[in-house]
Amino acid sequence: MDSNQQICDVELVPLSLELCEDVYCIAVESLPEHWSLQGVKDVLRYDNNIFCVAREKDSGTIVGFAGIMMIVDEAELLNIAVSPKHRKKGIAQKLIDYVVREAQGRNAVRMLLEVRRSNEAARCLYEKNGFTAFAERKGYYSNPKEDAIIMEKRME
């Protein structure tokens, strides 16, 4: 984190229907391939999806989100994004800490994710948090066409 950037004072709250539009807006501005608004709402229908949003304590502004899907004893990081103007403030780290704790609390033995090969910032963040690359998916992303690196974190 840049020494000129301050950690944003955020609280993490569960995703709810009234926050889905804010999450969708962050996804549109942050993720080349993102879910539709209905897709965001659909994650609320399943008990094995755990999504949270980062909300500024003073303004109530939604500045980021993350979500995992539990499948038996594995967690998959489905999405994580922070609004561009709120990046480099420690928010993504808080979101990762949250989803890892949630997965551990549900007895996950590992967490998996896919990340664009070109997304160096995300890959560095994941590596810092104990994720290691173990495979790739050729042409996984289509907007633009790009390979995905599959990473995993073994839970302790």
Side-chain angles (χ1 to χ4, degrees):
M1 183 165 49
D2 186 317
S3 60
N4 295 331
Q5 298 288 336
Q6 292 186 341
I7 292 177
C8 194
D9 194 14
V10 297
E11 59 185 345
L12 301 181
V13 298
L15 177 63
S16 61
L17 194 56
E18 48 279 353
L19 298 176
C20 286
E21 196 163 326
D22 292 325
V23 164
Y24 172 72
C25 289
I26 291 170
V28 167
E29 68 180 347
S30 301
L31 304 170
E33 293 182 37
H34 55 79
W35 294 348
S36 66
L37 177 56
Q38 187 58 52
V40 174
K41 291 177 179 178
D42 285 348
V43 302
L44 295 171
R45 296 176 34 192
Y46 303 100
D47 290 340
N48 63 329
N49 291 330
I50 300 104
F51 271 71
C52 70
V53 297
R55 178 171 61 196
E56 281 187 328
K57 287 184 180 178
D58 56 352
S59 69
T61 302
I62 303 304
V63 297
F65 69 94
I68 59 172
M69 175 175 56
M70 292 296 305
I71 303 170
V72 189
D73 62 353
E74 290 186 346
E76 182 177 351
L77 181 64
L78 298 176
N79 267 321
I80 183 169
V82 175
S83 173
K85 63 185 171 194
H86 291 91
R87 291 184 184 154
K88 300 194 183 300
K89 297 180 179 180
I91 298 168
Q93 184 62 58
K94 284 187 175 190
L95 290 164
I96 287 177
D97 290 345
Y98 177 85
V99 294
V100 166
R101 275 193 316 273
E102 287 294 315
Q104 288 171 327
R106 289 167 172 76
N107 300 314
V109 297
R110 70 178 181 162
M111 184 178 288
L112 300 167
L113 62 84
E114 290 104 2
V115 60
R116 284 180 177 273
R117 178 179 299 286
S118 65
N119 193 342
E120 290 293 327
R123 289 174 57 194
C124 287
L125 179 66
Y126 298 141
E127 288 169 3
K128 179 180 121 182
N129 282 279
F131 287 85
T132 56
F134 74 95
E136 64 181 59
R137 290 197 169 117
K138 294 284 187 194
Y140 180 75
Y141 295 105
S142 59
N143 182 26
K145 188 90 166 155
E146 188 171 354
D147 298 343
I149 304 297
I150 305 170
M151 301 181 83
E152 75 173 335
K153 174 183 175 66
R154 292 282 173 181
M155 300 297 182
E156 301 174 25

